[in-house]
Amino acid sequence: MSAVVIRRATAPDASAAADVYLRSFAAALPTVVRPRSDEEVRAYIRDVVVPLRETWVAEESRSGAIVGLMVLAGDLLSQLYLDPDWRGHGIGDRFVTLAKERSPRGLSLWTFQVNGPAHRFYERHGFVEAERTDGNGNEEREPDVRYVWRP
C-alpha cells in the first residue's frame, strides 16, 4: 500500500467520500438498518457534510482514491469511516490524532453497541465509555454507546 495523505475535503470529494461511508457501513455494521437510501446519503454528504462540516478525507497518494472520511463538529467526532480494504493501515489512528489536535480539551463520539471493533479502537485511543442508550435518540433506532476522551 502506498502513502496516504489526510486533508480537508473539497466539493469534488463528496461522491467518493459517500462511497467510503456506504462501503464501510455495510462491512462494519451488516445488522444495522440504514434509515436513508444510498442516494439520500450521497446528497447529504454532498450538500451538508462536505460544504458545511469540518470534513477530512484520507487520499491514497498514487491513485488519488479517497479511502477514509472523518467529520468533526466542535468536540464531537461525528463520523469516522474507512474503506474496508484500508482498515489496519494506521489511517484511523491518524484521524484520531488529528481530531485530538483539533479539539485538545476533549472529544466525544457515538458508536453502535454491536460495533465491537470500534469499541476496541476508541478504547485503545484513550476514549472511555460514558453512556449507553437503547437507540431511541438515533435515526437507526440501534442501541449505542457514547465515548469521551479527556486529555
Side-chain angles (χ1 to χ4, degrees):
M1 301 254 171
S2 65
V4 172
V5 174
I6 306 287
R7 63 172 175 77
R8 283 296 291 266
T10 60
D13 298 321
S15 178
D19 289 342
V20 167
Y21 169 90
L22 292 167
R23 283 193 307 272
S24 179
F25 197 101
L29 301 164
T31 63
V32 176
V33 177
R34 281 193 302 115
R36 297 172 191 250
S37 70
D38 289 3
E39 286 315 307
E40 289 170 322
V41 168
R42 290 178 194 291
Y44 180 70
I45 290 176
R46 179 191 66 232
D47 299 338
V48 177
V49 175
V50 171
L52 303 176
R53 306 279 188 266
E54 184 178 342
T55 305
W56 297 82
V57 291
E59 178 183 49
E60 195 272 326
S61 56
R62 193 171 345 131
S63 68
I66 300 301
V67 299
L69 166 70
M70 179 180 75
V71 182
L72 300 173
D75 65 356
L76 177 68
L77 188 125
S78 70
Q79 297 182 46
L80 196 164
Y81 292 97
L82 300 177
D83 184 291
D85 292 339
W86 284 82
R87 290 166 111 191
H89 294 278
I91 299 167
D93 299 336
R94 291 173 60 195
F95 272 144
V96 169
T97 297
L98 176 60
K100 288 177 176 180
E101 290 169 358
R102 305 286 299 164
S103 295
R105 287 193 283 267
L107 287 164
S108 64
L109 62 89
W110 290 91
T111 190
F112 296 117
Q113 289 182 25
V114 298
N115 195 348
H119 297 227
R120 290 187 294 279
F121 172 80
Y122 291 118
E123 289 167 6
R124 193 172 77 241
H125 285 280
F127 286 81
V128 296
E129 185 178 316
E131 174 183 7
R132 284 184 175 248
T133 80
D134 61 6
N136 247 353
N138 63 57
E139 57 185 6
E140 294 83 1
R141 299 294 180 244
E142 180 74 26
D144 56 5
V145 181
R146 185 170 65 92
Y147 276 93
V148 296
W149 166 78
R150 297 288 176 251

